[in-house]
Short mmCIF file of all heavy atoms in Angstrom, two decimals:
data_model
loop_
_atom_site.label_atom_id
_atom_site.label_comp_id
_atom_site.label_asym_id
_atom_site.label_seq_id
_atom_site.Cartn_x
_atom_site.Cartn_y
_atom_site.Cartn_z
N GLY K 104 55.33 44.06 142.63
CA GLY K 104 56.07 45.19 143.07
C GLY K 104 55.68 45.47 144.52
O GLY K 104 54.76 44.81 145.10
N GLY K 105 56.32 46.48 145.17
CA GLY K 105 56.13 46.80 146.52
C GLY K 105 54.71 47.24 146.79
O GLY K 105 54.11 46.85 147.75
N THR K 106 54.15 48.01 145.89
CA THR K 106 52.82 48.47 146.15
C THR K 106 51.78 47.31 146.21
O THR K 106 50.95 47.27 147.09
CB THR K 106 52.35 49.45 144.96
OG1 THR K 106 53.30 50.56 144.98
CG2 THR K 106 50.98 49.95 145.18
N LEU K 109 52.19 45.52 149.54
CA LEU K 109 51.58 46.25 150.63
C LEU K 109 50.05 46.16 150.55
O LEU K 109 49.38 46.04 151.57
CB LEU K 109 52.09 47.69 150.74
CG LEU K 109 53.53 47.86 150.97
CD1 LEU K 109 53.94 49.27 151.13
CD2 LEU K 109 54.05 47.01 152.17
N HIS K 135 55.63 54.32 153.47
CA HIS K 135 55.49 54.59 152.03
C HIS K 135 54.04 54.89 151.64
O HIS K 135 53.16 54.37 152.21
CB HIS K 135 55.98 53.32 151.26
CG HIS K 135 56.18 53.55 149.82
ND1 HIS K 135 55.18 53.53 148.90
CD2 HIS K 135 57.36 53.85 149.10
CE1 HIS K 135 55.74 53.80 147.70
NE2 HIS K 135 57.05 53.97 147.83
N PRO K 182 64.29 49.77 155.64
CA PRO K 182 64.16 51.20 156.11
C PRO K 182 63.09 51.92 155.33
O PRO K 182 62.56 51.42 154.39
CB PRO K 182 65.55 51.67 155.70
CG PRO K 182 65.93 50.94 154.42
CD PRO K 182 65.18 49.61 154.53
N TYR K 184 61.72 54.86 152.86
CA TYR K 184 62.24 55.29 151.54
C TYR K 184 62.82 56.70 151.68
O TYR K 184 63.95 56.92 151.22
CB TYR K 184 61.12 55.29 150.45
CG TYR K 184 61.68 55.82 149.16
CD1 TYR K 184 62.46 54.96 148.34
CD2 TYR K 184 61.54 57.14 148.76
CE1 TYR K 184 63.05 55.45 147.17
CE2 TYR K 184 62.09 57.59 147.62
CZ TYR K 184 62.89 56.71 146.83
OH TYR K 184 63.45 57.16 145.64
N ASP K 209 57.55 46.73 156.33
CA ASP K 209 57.78 47.08 154.95
C ASP K 209 59.29 47.20 154.64
O ASP K 209 59.91 48.23 154.91
CB ASP K 209 57.11 48.41 154.59
CG ASP K 209 57.33 48.82 153.19
OD1 ASP K 209 57.94 47.98 152.42
OD2 ASP K 209 56.96 49.94 152.80
N CYS K 211 60.38 46.61 151.71
CA CYS K 211 60.44 46.60 150.20
C CYS K 211 61.71 47.26 149.70
O CYS K 211 62.27 46.80 148.77
CB CYS K 211 59.18 47.45 149.68
SG CYS K 211 57.66 46.52 149.82
N PHE K 212 62.07 48.33 150.28
CA PHE K 212 63.16 49.21 149.73
C PHE K 212 64.51 48.49 150.07
O PHE K 212 65.18 48.11 149.15
CB PHE K 212 63.07 50.55 150.47
CG PHE K 212 64.11 51.57 150.02
CD1 PHE K 212 64.49 51.64 148.67
CD2 PHE K 212 64.65 52.49 150.95
CE1 PHE K 212 65.42 52.61 148.30
CE2 PHE K 212 65.57 53.42 150.54
CZ PHE K 212 65.98 53.50 149.24
N ASP K 243 61.20 44.01 147.95
CA ASP K 243 61.15 44.13 146.53
C ASP K 243 62.43 43.55 145.95
O ASP K 243 63.53 44.09 146.20
CB ASP K 243 61.05 45.59 146.13
CG ASP K 243 59.72 46.17 146.41
OD1 ASP K 243 58.79 45.41 146.87
OD2 ASP K 243 59.54 47.41 146.24
N HIS K 245 63.06 43.81 142.81
CA HIS K 245 63.47 44.80 141.73
C HIS K 245 64.12 46.09 142.34
O HIS K 245 64.35 47.02 141.59
CB HIS K 245 62.35 45.12 140.79
CG HIS K 245 61.10 45.78 141.38
ND1 HIS K 245 59.90 45.68 140.83
CD2 HIS K 245 60.97 46.61 142.43
CE1 HIS K 245 59.02 46.45 141.54
NE2 HIS K 245 59.71 46.98 142.53
N LYS K 246 64.43 46.01 143.64
CA LYS K 246 65.27 47.08 144.14
C LYS K 246 66.69 46.47 144.49
O LYS K 246 67.39 46.24 143.53
CB LYS K 246 64.63 47.75 145.41
CG LYS K 246 63.38 48.56 144.93
CD LYS K 246 62.59 49.20 146.09
CE LYS K 246 61.41 49.98 145.43
NZ LYS K 246 60.41 50.24 146.45
C1 PLP V 1 59.50 51.24 146.61
C2 PLP V 1 58.77 51.14 147.87
C3 PLP V 1 57.45 50.59 147.95
C4 PLP V 1 56.61 50.52 146.77
O1 PLP V 1 57.21 49.69 145.80
P1 PLP V 1 56.85 49.74 144.21
O2 PLP V 1 57.64 48.53 143.77
O3 PLP V 1 57.36 51.05 143.67
O4 PLP V 1 55.38 49.51 143.99
C5 PLP V 1 56.94 50.38 149.22
N1 PLP V 1 57.65 50.62 150.32
C6 PLP V 1 58.93 51.14 150.27
C7 PLP V 1 59.62 51.38 151.58
C8 PLP V 1 59.48 51.41 149.07
O5 PLP V 1 60.73 51.90 149.01
#
Side-chain angles (χ1 to χ4, degrees):
T106 300
L109 296 185
H135 195 277
Y184 179 79
D209 177 9
C211 282
F212 183 37
D243 291 353
H245 62 206
K246 290 179 179 161

